């Protein structure tokens, strides 16, 4: 014991904060310090799980059977109850499995998309215009197949980003107009108050 404990202390105090100590030929001591990531959030039946990493690359036959059944159903559009119905798994088990995926950073939960809702871009959208890495990640995420090398036509969106998110509260049409030709009615003499057309 006097030889084992100092080795445990040394291994758990240095990266990767784990140890495997052979006690004798048939027994070993395996320990690991896991970071405290807090409690997993509550998962509600109407929420939609969204993959933030490709779970298919990490899943194995040793995973829980419930996880293996629901992972193919996590497509960013199905909500929790729908995943349970499609996978023919009790919703309580699905919620428990999703909490595990959230805990380890595989998925995040978002509200279900509804056409009756009102959605607005946040100020953080400006980062998409300046951050090339984020632009590449965005392309990889939304495309069904790997993109072919091509310049991202982000320059055309300059007006949209600055107009819709600017401090002056400009409209989306005004934002697009900053990057494209706009007839606002005054220049074309089409009458006061008439909305401009975007070409």
């Amino acid at each position: 014991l006097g030889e084992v404990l100092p080795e445990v202390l040394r291994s758990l105090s240095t990266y990767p904060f784990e140890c495997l100590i052979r006690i004798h030929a048939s027994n070993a001591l395996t320990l690991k310090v896991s970071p405290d990531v807090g409690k997993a959030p509550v998962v509600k039946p109407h929420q939609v799980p969204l993959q933030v990493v490709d779970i298919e690359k990490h899943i194995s036959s040793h995973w829980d059977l419930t996880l293996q059944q629901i992972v193919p159903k996590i497509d960013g559009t199905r909500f929790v109850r729908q995943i349970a119905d499609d996978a023919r798994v009790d919703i309580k088990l699905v919620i428990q499995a999703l909490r595990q995926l959230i805990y380890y950073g595989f998925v995040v939960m978002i509200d279900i998309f509804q056409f009756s809702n009102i959605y607005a871009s946040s100020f953080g959208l400006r980062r998409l215009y300046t951050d090339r890495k984020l632009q590449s990640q965005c392309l990889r995420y939304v495309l069904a197949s790997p993109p072919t090398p091509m310049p991202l036509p982000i320059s055309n969106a300059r007006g949209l980003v600055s107009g819709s998110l600017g401090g002056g509260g400009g409209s989306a049409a005004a934002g697009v107009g900053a990057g494209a030709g706009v007839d606002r009615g005054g220049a074309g003499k089409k009458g006061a108050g008439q909305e401009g057309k975007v070409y």
Side-chain angles (χ1 to χ4, degrees):
L1 192 62
E3 297 178 358
V4 172
L5 291 180
E7 179 64 20
V8 170
L9 178 62
R10 184 191 65 79
S11 298
L12 296 182
S13 300
T14 57
Y15 185 82
F17 310 110
E18 58 186 27
C19 69
L20 172 60
I21 300 175
R22 182 68 61 181
I23 305 300
H24 46 74
S26 58
N27 289 293
L29 179 64
T30 304
L31 297 172
K32 181 176 182 178
V33 177
S34 298
D36 183 12
V37 295
K39 295 181 179 179
V42 176
V43 176
K44 300 178 180 178
H46 64 271
Q47 289 181 309
V48 178
L50 180 68
Q51 295 189 37
V52 293
V53 297
D54 190 354
I55 305 179
E56 296 286 352
K57 293 182 178 179
H58 299 275
I59 197 168
S60 71
S61 59
H62 301 290
W63 279 29
D64 180 78
L65 291 178
T66 302
L67 283 172
Q68 295 185 46
Q69 286 183 264
I70 70 170
V71 164
K73 310 297 183 183
I74 302 175
D75 56 4
T77 59
R78 291 185 175 100
F79 51 92
V80 175
R81 186 176 297 279
Q82 186 178 7
I83 290 175
D85 292 341
D86 293 347
R88 297 184 179 181
V89 177
D90 184 80
I91 190 169
K92 292 181 181 179
L93 296 177
V94 173
I95 289 175
Q96 183 179 1
L98 288 172
R99 287 173 62 97
Q100 291 293 320
L101 293 176
I102 295 170
Y103 182 87
Y104 289 105
F106 286 103
V107 302
V108 294
M109 302 303 295
I110 61 175
D111 291 331
I112 188 171
F113 178 84
Q114 297 183 26
F115 288 102
S116 59
N117 292 347
I118 298 176
Y119 299 93
S121 57
S122 67
F123 190 81
L125 183 61
R126 286 178 177 268
R127 184 180 164 206
L128 184 62
Y129 176 68
T130 57
D131 192 332
R132 300 294 298 181
K133 183 178 179 181
L134 182 61
Q135 294 169 13
S136 299
Q137 290 177 344
C138 182
L139 277 177
R140 288 197 303 269
Y141 191 83
V142 300
L143 293 179
S145 57
T148 56
M150 59 180 294
L152 185 68
I154 198 68
S155 59
N156 293 335
R158 177 192 297 269
L160 177 62
V161 174
S162 61
S164 60
L165 301 178
S171 66
V176 175
V182 176
D183 181 0
R184 298 200 174 279
K189 305 298 182 182
K190 295 188 179 181
Q194 184 175 353
E195 292 293 331
K197 296 181 179 179
V198 180
Y199 300 100

